Amino acid sequence: MNIVQVATGTISIPPNGWGAVERIIWAYKQKLEKLGDTVNVQYINHVTKQPNTIVHAHIANLALDCKNRGIPYVFSLHDHHTEWYGKDSYCYKHNVEAIKGSIISFTHAEHLVDYFEDTDKLFYLSHGADTEFFTPSYEPKTHRLLMIANNGLAGDSSIDRKGFRYGIEAAKLLNLPITIAGHPDNKNFFEHHKDLLEYDKLTLKLTNPTDDETRELYQTHTIFLHPSFLEAGHPNLTLMEAASSCIPIVGTYRGSKHIYGMWVIPECSTDRVVTGIVETINTYEYRRKEMFKVRESLDWQYVANTLHKYY
């Protein structure tokens, strides 16, 4: 089977650092090729209508470019702004148009299937992780909290979408060290929330960490925090990577699939995060053992197997 994954045009593929959609595209390419497919990553201006070729777009305007040029396409929805702005927004309607114009479309958050009630072409497809790369550490260590994210929302760096405040305040109440890593744009968030920098056990690594550096972060910390109030992926990539690394998780999650080792908080608050951390510490070895048993089932290969069947 011939497949074209349409590049976003914003970040190189594969990315070495930040770039969630780009990481997904690269994972699809690698794993589909193991199934015998021929997969090319192309910029939209190079994409043409070809016989027996699947074209898979990942941004609404690129999907609609295909539609306007008469190129049949598959579409993946990755845009959390569709929920943030609501159903009367241009963003929502733009993505609905991309979904309706597709052969079939995917969302990576189950609840968005019902949210996009204007179409019956949207199906849930989970994210995965590179379980051969994001491997567990077996060395005993004292508890250290970790958050990896790119905070802010809709161009506003001050909005705490990823819950940095909840994580830092919980760490402070429990007297635990916490590391926050991710994109340099997070520095703008802390410019708006300078009081959070007063916690002396806070370490910032806002250097767009490489894959190797990210793996080391998972392996040198013990609990991953993700109290995010808005995601287009449930679970998102960092949750999957943490699960693959067998580091127990405290955070938000909306989905029917059980994530072993995760303490799901029903809503974002410092108290909820504190409770989750305490319960996770009290059941830590049990949660880790659960995660070890199922980690290989999280691999991108299983996602690609499903995607191949849809193609």
Side-chain angles (χ1 to χ4, degrees):
M1 195 181 323
N2 295 319
I3 301 161
V4 172
Q5 297 289 337
V6 183
T8 61
T10 56
I11 297 174
S12 62
I13 301 173
N16 191 20
W18 215 255
V21 177
E22 292 77 15
R23 188 176 298 277
I24 291 165
I25 290 171
W26 186 246
Y28 287 173
K29 173 178 168 61
Q30 290 181 302
K31 299 303 183 179
L32 287 166
E33 286 179 339
K34 286 190 175 182
L35 297 175
D37 296 328
T38 299
V39 185
N40 293 306
V41 179
Q42 295 181 352
Y43 291 109
I44 189 64
N45 56 313
H46 295 151
V47 177
T48 58
K49 185 177 181 179
Q50 298 289 336
N52 304 315
T53 299
I54 297 288
V55 174
H56 192 153
H58 296 262
I59 297 177
N61 67 312
L62 301 182
L64 292 173
D65 187 295
C66 290
K67 178 184 176 182
N68 293 336
R69 291 195 284 138
I71 303 172
Y73 64 91
V74 172
F75 175 58
S76 278
L77 171 74
H78 304 282
D79 191 352
H80 56 257
H81 296 95
T82 56
E83 247 188 308
W84 178 250
Y85 290 126
K87 294 183 179 181
D88 291 330
S89 68
Y90 169 81
C91 183
Y92 175 85
K93 293 175 182 177
H94 194 57
N95 278 276
V96 167
E97 186 181 357
I99 295 167
K100 287 183 175 180
S102 72
I103 302 169
I104 190 173
S105 292
F106 301 106
T107 175
H108 310 286
E110 280 180 286
H111 70 277
L112 291 182
V113 173
D114 291 334
Y115 181 73
F116 280 86
E117 59 189 356
D118 298 318
T119 176
D120 60 358
K121 288 188 175 182
L122 190 61
F123 295 83
Y124 174 65
L125 181 68
S126 178
H127 286 325
D130 185 344
T131 60
E132 294 181 4
F133 183 81
F134 290 106
T135 53
S137 168
Y138 297 92
E139 296 179 6
K141 55 184 76 71
T142 57
H143 283 294
R144 298 176 64 195
L145 309 176
L146 174 65
M147 302 182 78
I148 302 177
N150 188 6
N151 216 343
L153 177 61
D156 188 342
S157 300
S158 69
I159 298 177
D160 193 12
R161 179 170 73 95
K162 294 291 188 173
F164 286 177
R165 177 170 293 277
Y166 305 129
I168 295 170
E169 289 181 347
K172 187 175 182 179
L173 287 169
L174 296 171
N175 194 31
L176 290 172
I178 181 170
T179 300
I180 293 183
H183 198 278
D185 286 350
N186 287 323
K187 295 175 184 177
N188 298 323
F189 170 83
F190 285 104
E191 283 295 313
H192 292 280
H193 302 273
K194 292 182 179 179
D195 62 299
L196 296 177
L197 299 175
E198 296 172 5
Y199 183 45
D200 59 358
K201 292 187 177 181
L202 168 65
T203 300
L204 298 182
K205 189 177 178 62
L206 308 180
T207 56
N208 199 11
T210 65
D211 291 348
D212 288 337
E213 290 170 333
T214 300
R215 176 174 58 184
E216 183 180 4
L217 286 167
Y218 289 125
Q219 292 181 339
T220 54
H221 292 73
T222 62
I223 298 174
F224 186 72
L225 303 182
H226 192 258
S228 170
F229 71 76
L230 182 66
E231 295 290 336
H234 283 268
N236 72 333
L237 296 191
T238 55
L239 268 178
M240 295 298 285
E241 292 167 0
S244 179
S245 305
C246 295
I247 168 175
I249 303 160
V250 175
T252 51
Y253 168 61
R254 296 171 66 183
S256 61
K257 182 180 179 179
H258 178 63
I259 301 179
Y260 289 91
M262 182 175 184
W263 181 275
V264 178
I265 58 176
E267 58 187 24
C268 296
S269 72
T270 299
D271 288 344
R272 298 279 191 180
V273 175
V274 167
T275 299
I277 294 170
V278 171
E279 293 295 331
T280 297
I281 290 174
N282 290 339
T283 57
Y284 193 76
E285 290 308 318
Y286 172 78
R287 291 179 181 279
R288 283 263 289 176
K289 287 178 182 177
E290 276 192 328
M291 299 176 91
F292 279 117
K293 290 178 183 178
V294 300
R295 62 173 299 277
E296 291 183 1
S297 68
L298 307 176
D299 196 83
W300 278 114
Q301 190 62 61
Y302 294 98
V303 179
N305 293 349
T306 301
L307 185 59
H308 178 88
K309 290 177 183 177
Y310 274 113
Y311 285 161

